[in-house]
Short mmCIF file of all heavy atoms in Angstrom, two decimals:
data_model
loop_
_atom_site.label_atom_id
_atom_site.label_comp_id
_atom_site.label_asym_id
_atom_site.label_seq_id
_atom_site.Cartn_x
_atom_site.Cartn_y
_atom_site.Cartn_z
N LYS A 1 -14.27 -8.35 8.85
CA LYS A 1 -14.70 -7.51 9.91
C LYS A 1 -14.11 -6.08 9.78
O LYS A 1 -13.22 -5.94 8.91
CB LYS A 1 -14.16 -8.11 11.22
CG LYS A 1 -14.71 -9.55 11.53
CD LYS A 1 -13.96 -10.00 12.66
CE LYS A 1 -14.21 -11.50 12.82
NZ LYS A 1 -13.37 -12.20 13.80
N GLU A 2 -14.56 -5.18 10.47
CA GLU A 2 -13.96 -3.88 10.44
C GLU A 2 -12.49 -3.81 10.78
O GLU A 2 -12.22 -4.53 11.78
CB GLU A 2 -14.67 -2.76 11.21
CG GLU A 2 -14.11 -1.44 11.19
CD GLU A 2 -14.73 -0.38 12.15
OE1 GLU A 2 -15.71 -0.75 12.81
OE2 GLU A 2 -14.17 0.70 12.27
N ILE A 3 -11.59 -3.37 9.87
CA ILE A 3 -10.17 -3.48 10.08
C ILE A 3 -9.81 -2.17 10.82
O ILE A 3 -10.09 -1.11 10.32
CB ILE A 3 -9.45 -3.66 8.82
CG1 ILE A 3 -9.73 -4.97 8.14
CG2 ILE A 3 -7.95 -3.53 9.06
CD1 ILE A 3 -9.37 -5.15 6.78
N ILE A 4 -9.18 -2.21 11.84
CA ILE A 4 -8.77 -1.15 12.78
C ILE A 4 -7.39 -0.62 12.48
O ILE A 4 -6.45 -1.42 12.62
CB ILE A 4 -8.92 -1.49 14.16
CG1 ILE A 4 -10.39 -1.93 14.42
CG2 ILE A 4 -8.48 -0.41 15.08
CD1 ILE A 4 -10.60 -2.60 15.83
N THR A 5 -7.20 0.64 12.00
CA THR A 5 -5.88 1.21 11.79
C THR A 5 -5.22 1.15 13.11
O THR A 5 -5.74 1.40 14.05
CB THR A 5 -5.89 2.52 11.07
OG1 THR A 5 -6.75 3.48 11.94
CG2 THR A 5 -6.55 2.39 9.64
N GLY A 6 -3.75 1.12 13.02
CA GLY A 6 -3.06 1.17 14.29
C GLY A 6 -2.72 -0.25 14.73
O GLY A 6 -1.83 -0.37 15.57
N THR A 7 -3.48 -1.22 14.37
CA THR A 7 -3.21 -2.54 14.75
C THR A 7 -1.87 -3.04 14.14
O THR A 7 -1.62 -2.67 12.95
CB THR A 7 -4.31 -3.48 14.22
OG1 THR A 7 -5.62 -3.05 14.87
CG2 THR A 7 -3.98 -5.04 14.75
N PHE A 8 -1.05 -3.63 14.92
CA PHE A 8 0.23 -4.06 14.44
C PHE A 8 0.58 -5.40 14.87
O PHE A 8 0.06 -5.97 15.81
CB PHE A 8 1.36 -3.00 14.88
CG PHE A 8 1.66 -3.09 16.36
CD1 PHE A 8 2.64 -3.98 16.84
CD2 PHE A 8 0.93 -2.36 17.25
CE1 PHE A 8 2.91 -4.00 18.25
CE2 PHE A 8 1.18 -2.46 18.62
CZ PHE A 8 2.25 -3.19 19.19
N ALA A 9 1.65 -6.05 14.37
CA ALA A 9 2.15 -7.33 14.67
C ALA A 9 3.66 -7.28 14.46
O ALA A 9 4.18 -6.55 13.54
CB ALA A 9 1.43 -8.44 13.93
N THR A 10 4.40 -8.11 15.07
CA THR A 10 5.82 -8.26 14.87
C THR A 10 6.18 -9.74 14.66
O THR A 10 5.49 -10.63 15.27
CB THR A 10 6.63 -7.78 16.06
OG1 THR A 10 6.23 -8.46 17.21
CG2 THR A 10 6.50 -6.28 16.24
N VAL A 11 7.15 -9.94 13.80
CA VAL A 11 7.70 -11.46 13.74
C VAL A 11 9.28 -11.18 13.79
O VAL A 11 9.81 -10.21 13.34
CB VAL A 11 7.26 -12.07 12.43
CG1 VAL A 11 5.76 -12.31 12.59
CG2 VAL A 11 7.56 -11.30 11.21
N SER A 12 10.00 -12.35 14.10
CA SER A 12 11.40 -12.29 14.23
C SER A 12 11.97 -13.49 13.64
O SER A 12 11.42 -14.56 13.53
CB SER A 12 11.84 -12.13 15.71
OG SER A 12 11.45 -10.98 16.25
N THR A 13 13.26 -13.30 13.17
CA THR A 13 14.01 -14.38 12.66
C THR A 13 15.55 -14.13 12.96
O THR A 13 15.95 -13.08 13.24
CB THR A 13 13.85 -14.59 11.03
OG1 THR A 13 14.31 -15.73 10.73
CG2 THR A 13 14.58 -13.55 10.32
N LYS A 14 16.29 -15.23 13.04
CA LYS A 14 17.74 -15.14 13.20
C LYS A 14 18.42 -15.24 11.80
O LYS A 14 18.07 -16.13 11.04
CB LYS A 14 18.26 -16.17 14.09
CG LYS A 14 19.60 -16.06 14.56
CD LYS A 14 20.01 -16.89 15.74
CE LYS A 14 20.70 -15.94 16.63
NZ LYS A 14 20.66 -15.98 18.02
N VAL A 15 19.39 -14.43 11.61
CA VAL A 15 20.11 -14.43 10.24
C VAL A 15 21.15 -15.75 10.38
O VAL A 15 21.85 -15.94 11.35
CB VAL A 15 21.01 -13.17 10.10
CG1 VAL A 15 21.82 -13.25 8.74
CG2 VAL A 15 20.13 -11.93 10.15
N ASP A 16 20.84 -16.61 9.40
CA ASP A 16 21.71 -17.83 9.28
C ASP A 16 21.85 -17.96 7.76
O ASP A 16 21.53 -17.31 6.91
CB ASP A 16 21.13 -19.00 10.05
CG ASP A 16 19.73 -19.45 9.34
OD1 ASP A 16 19.54 -19.10 8.18
OD2 ASP A 16 18.99 -20.04 10.14
N GLU A 17 22.66 -19.16 7.44
CA GLU A 17 22.96 -19.45 6.08
C GLU A 17 21.74 -19.63 5.13
O GLU A 17 22.01 -19.55 3.89
CB GLU A 17 23.86 -20.71 6.08
CG GLU A 17 25.30 -20.55 6.63
CD GLU A 17 25.29 -20.73 8.15
OE1 GLU A 17 24.25 -21.02 8.79
OE2 GLU A 17 26.28 -20.38 8.77
N THR A 18 20.57 -19.75 5.69
CA THR A 18 19.46 -20.04 4.86
C THR A 18 18.80 -18.75 4.31
O THR A 18 17.97 -18.86 3.50
CB THR A 18 18.37 -20.79 5.48
OG1 THR A 18 17.80 -20.24 6.61
CG2 THR A 18 18.90 -22.22 6.01
N ASN A 19 19.08 -17.66 4.99
CA ASN A 19 18.32 -16.37 4.64
C ASN A 19 19.31 -15.18 4.23
O ASN A 19 19.01 -14.07 4.43
CB ASN A 19 17.39 -15.94 5.72
CG ASN A 19 17.97 -15.81 7.09
OD1 ASN A 19 19.14 -15.63 7.17
ND2 ASN A 19 17.21 -15.74 8.09
N THR A 20 20.63 -15.53 3.79
CA THR A 20 21.46 -14.66 3.35
C THR A 20 21.25 -14.25 1.87
O THR A 20 20.52 -14.87 1.10
CB THR A 20 22.81 -15.14 3.52
OG1 THR A 20 23.14 -16.31 2.59
CG2 THR A 20 23.24 -15.59 4.97
N ALA A 21 21.94 -13.13 1.48
CA ALA A 21 22.04 -12.78 0.03
C ALA A 21 22.48 -13.86 -0.78
O ALA A 21 22.01 -14.05 -1.90
CB ALA A 21 22.73 -11.46 -0.11
N LYS A 22 23.56 -14.58 -0.35
CA LYS A 22 24.19 -15.60 -1.10
C LYS A 22 23.16 -16.72 -1.17
O LYS A 22 22.97 -17.27 -2.42
CB LYS A 22 25.36 -16.19 -0.26
CG LYS A 22 26.19 -17.18 -1.08
CD LYS A 22 27.50 -17.48 -0.29
CE LYS A 22 28.35 -18.34 -1.09
NZ LYS A 22 29.70 -18.58 -0.42
N ALA A 23 22.32 -17.12 -0.27
CA ALA A 23 21.38 -18.19 -0.24
C ALA A 23 20.18 -17.86 -1.40
O ALA A 23 19.74 -18.57 -2.03
CB ALA A 23 20.83 -18.50 1.06
N ALA A 24 19.86 -16.57 -1.24
CA ALA A 24 18.74 -16.06 -2.10
C ALA A 24 19.18 -15.83 -3.53
O ALA A 24 18.33 -15.60 -4.46
CB ALA A 24 18.26 -14.92 -1.59
N LYS A 25 20.46 -15.79 -3.74
CA LYS A 25 21.03 -15.58 -5.11
C LYS A 25 20.78 -14.15 -5.47
O LYS A 25 20.70 -13.75 -6.71
CB LYS A 25 20.57 -16.54 -6.15
CG LYS A 25 21.05 -17.94 -5.87
CD LYS A 25 20.65 -18.89 -6.96
CE LYS A 25 21.27 -20.22 -6.73
NZ LYS A 25 21.10 -21.26 -6.14
N SER A 26 20.63 -13.27 -4.41
CA SER A 26 20.39 -11.85 -4.66
C SER A 26 21.66 -10.97 -4.43
O SER A 26 21.62 -9.79 -4.27
CB SER A 26 19.26 -11.32 -3.79
OG SER A 26 19.65 -11.32 -2.41
N GLY A 27 22.72 -11.78 -4.12
CA GLY A 27 24.08 -11.18 -3.94
C GLY A 27 25.08 -12.23 -3.60
O GLY A 27 24.64 -13.48 -3.66
N SER A 28 26.25 -11.90 -3.20
CA SER A 28 27.33 -12.86 -2.97
C SER A 28 27.76 -12.89 -1.47
O SER A 28 28.65 -13.76 -1.27
CB SER A 28 28.50 -12.61 -3.92
OG SER A 28 28.97 -11.30 -3.68
N LEU A 29 27.16 -12.19 -0.70
CA LEU A 29 27.65 -12.00 0.68
C LEU A 29 26.70 -12.78 1.74
O LEU A 29 25.54 -12.93 1.46
CB LEU A 29 27.66 -10.62 1.12
CG LEU A 29 28.65 -9.70 0.18
CD1 LEU A 29 28.57 -8.30 0.64
CD2 LEU A 29 30.12 -10.29 0.25
N ASN A 30 27.22 -13.19 2.91
CA ASN A 30 26.64 -13.83 3.90
C ASN A 30 26.01 -12.80 4.83
O ASN A 30 26.36 -12.63 6.00
CB ASN A 30 27.39 -14.91 4.56
CG ASN A 30 27.46 -16.17 3.80
OD1 ASN A 30 26.46 -16.57 3.19
ND2 ASN A 30 28.63 -16.83 3.88
N VAL A 31 25.08 -11.90 4.31
CA VAL A 31 24.30 -10.95 5.05
C VAL A 31 22.87 -11.16 4.86
O VAL A 31 22.48 -11.79 3.85
CB VAL A 31 24.73 -9.52 4.74
CG1 VAL A 31 26.22 -9.31 5.20
CG2 VAL A 31 24.49 -9.18 3.31
N PHE A 32 21.98 -10.70 5.75
CA PHE A 32 20.59 -10.88 5.59
C PHE A 32 20.08 -10.34 4.33
O PHE A 32 20.42 -9.18 3.91
CB PHE A 32 19.91 -10.11 6.80
CG PHE A 32 18.41 -10.41 6.87
CD1 PHE A 32 18.06 -11.84 6.90
CD2 PHE A 32 17.39 -9.51 7.17
CE1 PHE A 32 16.63 -12.09 7.10
CE2 PHE A 32 16.14 -9.83 7.24
CZ PHE A 32 15.71 -11.09 7.36
N ALA A 33 19.44 -11.14 3.51
CA ALA A 33 18.97 -10.75 2.08
C ALA A 33 17.76 -9.91 2.11
O ALA A 33 16.88 -10.13 2.82
CB ALA A 33 18.81 -12.08 1.41
N THR A 34 17.75 -8.97 1.24
CA THR A 34 16.61 -8.06 1.07
C THR A 34 15.33 -8.92 0.80
O THR A 34 14.31 -8.63 1.35
CB THR A 34 16.86 -7.05 -0.06
OG1 THR A 34 18.04 -6.31 0.25
CG2 THR A 34 15.68 -6.23 -0.35
N PRO A 35 15.33 -9.99 -0.03
CA PRO A 35 14.15 -10.65 -0.27
C PRO A 35 13.63 -11.33 1.02
O PRO A 35 12.43 -11.34 1.18
CB PRO A 35 14.47 -11.73 -1.34
CG PRO A 35 15.68 -11.27 -2.06
CD PRO A 35 16.47 -10.31 -1.01
N PHE A 36 14.49 -11.81 1.88
CA PHE A 36 13.96 -12.41 3.13
C PHE A 36 13.45 -11.28 4.04
O PHE A 36 12.59 -11.61 4.88
CB PHE A 36 15.19 -13.09 3.83
CG PHE A 36 15.36 -14.59 2.99
CD1 PHE A 36 16.55 -14.77 2.23
CD2 PHE A 36 14.46 -15.52 3.03
CE1 PHE A 36 16.72 -15.89 1.60
CE2 PHE A 36 14.73 -16.56 2.35
CZ PHE A 36 15.75 -16.91 1.61
N MET A 37 14.09 -10.13 4.07
CA MET A 37 13.69 -9.00 4.81
C MET A 37 12.24 -8.69 4.50
O MET A 37 11.31 -8.57 5.34
CB MET A 37 14.51 -7.72 4.79
CG MET A 37 14.01 -6.69 5.68
SD MET A 37 14.90 -5.06 5.34
CE MET A 37 14.15 -4.56 3.72
N ILE A 38 11.98 -8.63 3.10
CA ILE A 38 10.57 -8.29 2.61
C ILE A 38 9.64 -9.38 2.96
O ILE A 38 8.55 -9.07 3.46
CB ILE A 38 10.69 -8.12 1.15
CG1 ILE A 38 11.43 -6.71 0.84
CG2 ILE A 38 9.23 -8.03 0.54
CD1 ILE A 38 11.78 -6.59 -0.58
N ALA A 39 10.12 -10.61 2.88
CA ALA A 39 9.20 -11.89 3.37
C ALA A 39 8.85 -11.78 4.83
O ALA A 39 7.70 -12.04 5.15
CB ALA A 39 9.93 -13.16 3.00
#
């Protein structure tokens, strides 16, 4: 269908041990990982 610019959506998550830099192996800290932010 015709795609309308300006259309938006939001999604949320809570930072926990499963989506940290340590869990993603993209770092060693228990902070929200860049790969999970991009996902």
Side-chain angles (χ1 to χ4, degrees):
K1 302 171 190 169
E2 180 184 354
I3 299 171
I4 301 169
T5 58
T7 302
F8 71 91
T10 60
V11 293
S12 297
T13 193
K14 187 164 228 144
V15 181
D16 62 24
E17 291 81 11
T18 66
N19 57 18
T20 64
K22 190 173 183 178
K25 297 183 171 85
S26 66
S28 60
L29 301 176
N30 280 322
V31 294
F32 193 48
T34 302
F36 288 111
M37 181 190 72
I38 293 169

